[in-house]
Amino acid sequence: MRDTKIMSYHNHFNYKRGELFCESTCISEVAQKVGTPFYLYSYNSLIGNYRKFAHTFSKLSPLICYSLKANGNLTLSRILAQEGAGADILSEGELHKALQAGFPPQKIVFAGPGKKEKEIECALKENIFMLNVESASELELIEKTAQRLNHTARVSLRLNPDVDVKTHRYITTGKKENKFGLVFDEAEKLYEKIKKSSLLKPVGIHMHIGSQITSSEPYLRALEKAGELFDLLKEKGLDLQYIDMGGGFGISYKKGKPPLDIEELAEKIYPLIKKREAKLIIEPGRFLVGPAGLLITQVLYKKRRREKTFIIVDAGMNDLIRPSLYDAYHQIKKLKEPDEAESDETVDVVGPVCESGDFFALGRSLPKISEGEYLALMDAGAYSFSMSFSYNARPRPAEVLVKEDHWWIIRKRETYQDLIKGEVIPDELFSSSKDSSAKNFSTISPSKREVAIFPSQKEPIFDLIPFTKMQGSGNDFIVVDNRGKIIKDRENFSKRVCSRKKGIGADGLLLLEESDKANFKMRIFNPDGTEAEMCGNAARCIARFVYLKGIAGEKCSFETLSGPISSYMNETQVKIRMKDPSRLHLNLKLILEDGSYEGHYLDTGVSHFILFVPEVEKAPLEKLGPKIRYHPYFQPQGTNVNFVEVERNGLKVRTYERGVEGETLSCGTGVVAAAIIADIVRGLGSPLKVKTKGGGLKVYFQRRDKTNFAQVFLEGEAKVVYEGRYERKGK
Ligand code: PLP
């Protein structure tokens, strides 16, 4: 019979045709493209583990809060958020990541024995589901903060039930000698305080007794204690509803060592929860992501000594610290399927880091390994990348997600630039004056020195909104990833940030938001706060933004108010497929005060009026632009106005933009409208080069008949100008 316990989570890593595959992707092909070391995750393994877990506990309809500390990668977290999971967090940083990943605040629980006041404040402001409190002083601080913010705080106390879970001593958290939680009597007393407080609202009882637990028994003992406290407190009139049993569900790292039998656990805890009519919260981390990830590394050298043979690989303890820290065991597999006929050899698999503790396996019997070949450290999805660091100035590895035969880099390998990010060399220390160095340094006022050395520690991180300033053919935008809804009042925010004098300054604000139809949704706000339907330059910028941030690949599709857009990346050039043009109106005569003007109208996602002029530089844009924009024919929305000169090799275009209420250096949809109209009235054909003040663009299209066009593409540059953080003024 198959060992069903070992298979109780999803395995999508198998040898096919002599190579290790993840789903339908050959891992060594990814390794050749991405370089090593890198983490690789299986989408179907992750989602399968979550579904299996949810299904097993479904009789109790629990709130499953994924423990972000296991692996906080945004893509993996988002996959779980979309499956309906909530999040268990330990810090403000994790709160920030959880919101970015899309976990709703009402499904976020916050544990940890050392929460700072700022972290508590932030959790209260974000209105998360509950704070799991670990000491009397923390409860006091939460109450004070709630009072200051005029907010009630939903709290549970973390019970330390004093049970031994028989795991590594560093990951045991529910014994009374561990720093975590409150023992029974302390908790009982503190719940009295909660009962009396008008600012604290009791939610339930929390526990987390350890990690990599492979037997149900400690959970049952802990839940019995929690149940006893729950009953006692209910008798005392506390309105408790939830029992949060934490995480800790063990997986199988080693052949023959089965994982926790979660079916048995679910069965056994059922009566304990049901009898109290309590609602259940569970916080799995490792069980969901652990078996879904591998660390792929390449063998650098094989070094033989009489005593032993070392396999020196290019991943180190900084990439995966579990063996060094916990003596953890990870199976090691060759990406090339080993030849069964060949005998194994006993080796130490070690990394390049300058520590003797830098190893992945000691005295392990493995199939013959050669220099240059790839190895996989199995079950490395949890507490692996999330515990990585850059000791020995080793950039942290890339992360890749595989789904069937597709794969994406979901986190880029760190660069050498990343390694020195935030470091500041005080100029005064190295000034060339004679008596520089120590003397000069000591003359800097203490406050100046502090700012110079530790600038980032002065910043209230959570109130700063990360943005990327981009430009596409001279149209400049502020791009913000708003999937975590960090910006709610979009209109006012746009007015503030787009202001050239008081804000960052831009032609528009681009918000990346959730979409259930495409990779994401792009929303564009003008500097006057109005929302625009579409802008070709903006679309190129956001396509490059999602690519650079690892949110989407070289090809992606996104929603806009004017319909779906697809994009294709080619280094800094981005080609986007535009909406098929519509509402063509040729030879439209507009009567203005000073005469009549004949032009053409086309909707390329946005309204455009095209006026051919002999010399675009001399066109009266400032005078005519606003008059045509507000002409009654185009009301109520108004139109953009393009002045177009036909040149030998293409067009020259200047655009007056509605919303910006002035000339911009270039307008993507305007350029497309100009090219199509130029083809209709002057027969210029496709592709057509267009010069704007912001740079060159290329328009591609297919003409179906005289006035019907399809397959319209706009190609041009999209560049990052800089990244920064903008201080939020109230929410
Ligand atoms: N909940 C809390 C409070 C934790 O501290 C942890 C991990 O340390 C977890 C849940 C997740 O544990 P595991 O990954 O073992 O399921």
Side-chain angles (χ1 to χ4, degrees), residues 468-479 500 505-508 510 535-542 544-545 548 572-574 665-666 692-697 716-722:
T468 303
K469 181 79 193 292
M470 299 195 73
Q471 66 95 0
S473 308
N475 231 187
D476 63 340
F477 302 100
I478 297 154
V479 190
R500 302 260 175 210
D507 293 332
L510 306 186
C535 162
N537 292 334
R540 290 203 317 280
C541 286
I542 207 148
R544 182 126 197 274
F545 175 83
L548 292 174
T572 58
Q573 295 289 312
V574 187
L665 292 183
S666 121
T692 68
K693 283 188 173 172
L697 289 152
E717 199 172 60
K719 277 189 149 175
V720 171
V721 183
Y722 58 87

Side-chain angles (χ1 to χ4, degrees), residues 65 67 69-70 88-90 111-112 132 134 158 173 180 206-208 210-213 219 246-250 283-287 382-383:
C65 292
S67 193
K69 57 183 85 62
D88 157 55
I89 56 160
L90 180 113
N132 291 325
E134 309 221 8
R158 175 167 176 175
T173 56
F180 299 97
H206 174 246
M207 283 188 308
H208 171 69
S211 196
Q212 186 52 16
I213 303 168
Y219 283 108
F249 314 100
E283 303 170 354
R286 188 190 310 269
F287 194 90
Y383 306 103

Side-chain angles (χ1 to χ4, degrees), residues 67-139:
S67 193
L68 226 65
K69 57 183 85 62
N71 188 328
N73 179 283
L74 288 182
T75 305
L76 304 185
S77 303
R78 174 160 300 207
I79 291 169
L80 296 173
Q82 289 199 342
E83 283 291 297
D88 157 55
I89 56 160
L90 180 113
S91 65
E92 186 180 337
E94 281 191 356
L95 173 55
H96 183 59
K97 289 196 81 172
L99 295 173
Q100 287 275 328
F103 291 104
Q106 67 275 15
K107 287 189 185 173
I108 296 179
V109 298
F110 189 172
K115 303 180 192 82
K116 288 184 167 189
E117 184 171 356
K118 192 160 102 32
E119 298 188 300
I120 293 168
E121 173 174 337
C122 181
L124 293 179
K125 282 186 180 164
E126 291 296 341
N127 213 3
I128 67 162
F129 183 61
M130 70 176 175
L131 285 145
N132 291 325
V133 185
E134 309 221 8
S135 67
S137 308
E138 183 193 334
L139 189 67

